[in-house]
Amino acid sequence: MTSSATSFPDPWPAPRALHPLDAVVEVPGSKSLSNRYLVLAALGTRPVTLKGLLRSRDTELMMAALKRLGAGCESLNDDGTTVCVTPPVHGAFHGNVTVNCGLAGTVMRFVPCLALFADGPVRFDGDEQAYARPMQPVLDGLEQLGARIEYYGERGFLPFTITPPLRGGEDSVGSAGDNGSHAAHIAIDSSASSQFISGLLLVASRLPHGCELVHTGEKLPSMPHIRMTMEDVNRAGGHIEMPQPGHWIVGPAELALPPEVVVEPDLSNAAPFLGAAMIAGGLVSVPRWPKKTAQPGGLLPALLQRMGASVSWDGKPWPAGSLVDSDSNGSNSTGFSDDAPAAATLCVIGTGVIHGLGQYDLSAAGEIAPSIAALCVLADAPTALVGIGHLRGHETNRLQALVTEIERIGGTARELADGIEITPVAKNQLQGTVIQTYADHRMATFAAMLGLVIDGIDIVNIATTRKTLPDFTGMWMGMLQAKG
């Protein structure tokens, strides 16, 4: 079933689940992987064909940005999920252009790093909401590499222009302060977002002598996303080591992804659908769930199992009480045997209970916090999700937004210094109302989850889900209407 989110009224009446679910949900490609592969392909030395690429607002913004900088992005099939990326001639990106970042964190924090290798200044702008998203750490890093930043508003935020160290060449890039003969040294505080580190790691191999990158803050959110970046760069021929947490050494290298790369499904985007099985009861299956993955969403099966779901992969029970481990390459491993398939169907069955988590550190997968929060509203005990203070700097202040909307429906929640505490109330105390989404796709899916069991939930701007799920409403209705 396909339908456009824009064809629905605003606010959109969230549908109730009228019976237990029995659905197979095909989740589109990972946004995080799609945009990393697009950047690495543009940094490479040969054309790369990406298969299973997510087509959503964030990836459209990334491809438009790369085209502005001189790379080619050509769709090879009808739905646009197979794309050939061609690097710019001689690896030099175009300057004297403006890049629209929209509200895409990966665009506003990854693409400015490409401006180091442009042949002229590059201006960056975006949506009004993007002006509130922090940018200072990655821009500090670029200044340490010799770039100049001109701001048109508040320092450390969009809009701004980046002038590379030397127009028309990269020989001087990264030479500031190192006499041009040693690895560049970059020190930034990436406490607000792992994307600052990832943006610099993606381009560091192109520096003449590589670089040493140091995180100066006390906490570093979403290490799985950084491990994902490391794995992707190394797959492209780079060499990144992390001798200790918060310290990376990147050797100079010519990057080239394999000629063909397949993008995994977006496991974090599977969270609302898998969570729906726990809320409504029944079964939701997601095909092509990888045995090993660098995605933070790889933590979902063990987490949902801990909350009371019955979980299986490739027809086998998920290892009881297990947490996903990280292997030496930074990938999350399910713990299944080496001879198990590379990917198989993940099944989640609602058992009629949703357990609270007590205090739970979700720093490794903060992006799934809204979906987990929806489950916690309906759980049998309180939950304090901690390690996610950085969510205040996402598309909106997600912690504040979650507390506001949970209280709006009659629930109880409060912000913590580093997270959110949710105390369940009786379901008959929860009431339907209009839920705001704050131009945040994950707040929209959070509201849809609650709408499965609360009458009268209306969601403002459901179309914001196009950021990472171009047809969320069609997928959601399809899940509810499926009959096995």
Side-chain angles (χ1 to χ4, degrees), residues 361-373:
D361 186 346
L362 198 57
S363 59
E367 63 186 29
I368 65 173
S371 293
I372 301 304

Side-chain angles (χ1 to χ4, degrees), residues 33-44 50 62 66 85 93 106-107 110-111 113-114 199 202-203 255 257:
L33 286 171
S34 291
N35 276 351
R36 283 165 172 77
Y37 289 149
L38 285 166
V39 169
L40 286 170
L43 282 165
L50 303 177
M62 180 63 82
L66 296 178
V85 181
F93 294 102
T106 49
V107 179
F110 293 177
V111 179
C113 300
L114 300 181
L202 284 168
V203 304
L255 298 178
L257 281 170

Side-chain angles (χ1 to χ4, degrees), residues 1 21-27 273-274 283-288 345-347 475 478-484:
M1 174 185 239
L21 305 180
D22 188 3
V24 176
V25 178
E26 295 277 356
V27 178
F273 300 94
L274 296 175
L283 164 70
V284 172
S285 300
V286 175
R288 300 193 301 123
T345 297
L346 181 81
C347 297
M475 294 172 64
M479 174 188 71
L480 294 175
Q481 295 169 2
K483 297 180 180 180

Side-chain angles (χ1 to χ4, degrees), residues 69-102:
L69 294 174
C73 297
E74 180 187 2
S75 295
L76 302 181
N77 62 345
D78 291 341
D79 63 8
T81 58
T82 300
V83 173
C84 179
V85 181
T86 304
V89 177
H90 306 305
F93 294 102
H94 294 174
N96 301 301
V97 298
T98 296
V99 170
N100 174 25
C101 300

Side-chain angles (χ1 to χ4, degrees), residues 170-215:
E170 64 182 80
D171 290 343
S172 69
V173 174
S175 63
D178 65 4
N179 298 319
S181 59
H182 302 290
H185 180 82
I186 309 169
I188 65 169
D189 183 350
S190 194
S191 301
S193 174
S194 65
Q195 290 175 345
F196 304 135
I197 295 293
S198 286
L200 293 165
L201 290 179
L202 284 168
V203 304
S205 302
R206 283 277 299 267
L207 301 176
H209 307 288
C211 85
E212 178 184 29
L213 176 58
V214 177
H215 165 58

Side-chain angles (χ1 to χ4, degrees), residues 175-410:
S175 63
D178 65 4
N179 298 319
S181 59
H182 302 290
H185 180 82
I186 309 169
I188 65 169
D189 183 350
S190 194
S191 301
S193 174
S194 65
Q195 290 175 345
F196 304 135
I197 295 293
S198 286
L200 293 165
L201 290 179
L202 284 168
V203 304
S205 302
R206 283 277 299 267
L207 301 176
H209 307 288
C211 85
E212 178 184 29
L213 176 58
V214 177
H215 165 58
T216 61
E218 293 183 3
K219 295 184 177 181
L220 187 60
S222 195
M223 269 305 299
H225 275 123
I226 295 175
R227 293 192 185 101
M228 176 190 294
T229 302
M230 295 172 61
E231 181 177 294
D232 294 341
V233 171
N234 290 342
R235 184 180 186 185
H239 184 70
I240 300 178
E241 294 182 345
M242 186 172 65
Q244 62 188 54
H247 186 185
W248 296 267
I249 297 174
V250 187
E254 193 174 75
L255 298 178
L257 281 170
E260 184 175 294
V261 176
V262 178
V263 182
E264 295 175 358
D266 194 313
L267 307 186
S268 294
N269 274 344
F273 300 94
L274 296 175
M278 298 187 68
I279 294 171
L283 164 70
V284 172
S285 300
V286 175
R288 300 193 301 123
W289 194 278
K291 179 173 67 176
K292 291 184 178 182
T293 181
Q295 293 188 61
L299 298 170
L300 269 169
L303 180 53
L304 296 182
Q305 183 184 62
R306 176 169 173 166
M307 297 187 79
S310 173
V311 182
S312 63
W313 183 84
D314 192 30
K316 303 175 181 65
W318 195 265
S322 72
L323 290 177
V324 177
D325 295 320
S326 176
D327 67 18
S328 60
N329 294 319
S331 290
N332 295 322
S333 174
T334 60
F336 287 98
S337 63
D338 290 341
D339 60 358
T345 297
L346 181 81
C347 297
V348 170
I349 300 175
T351 60
V353 296
I354 300 176
H355 297 312
L357 291 167
Q359 181 164 306
Y360 191 88
D361 186 346
L362 198 57
S363 59
E367 63 186 29
I368 65 173
S371 293
I372 301 304
L375 294 174
C376 293
V377 169
L378 304 169
D380 58 8
T383 297
L385 300 174
V386 298
I388 55 174
H390 60 284
L391 296 188
R392 293 185 172 95
H394 278 224
E395 283 80 349
T396 187
N397 181 336
R398 279 188 182 154
L399 300 182
Q400 183 182 72
L402 285 168
V403 169
T404 298
E405 301 309 315
I406 290 171
E407 291 180 339
R408 197 189 303 275
I409 62 170

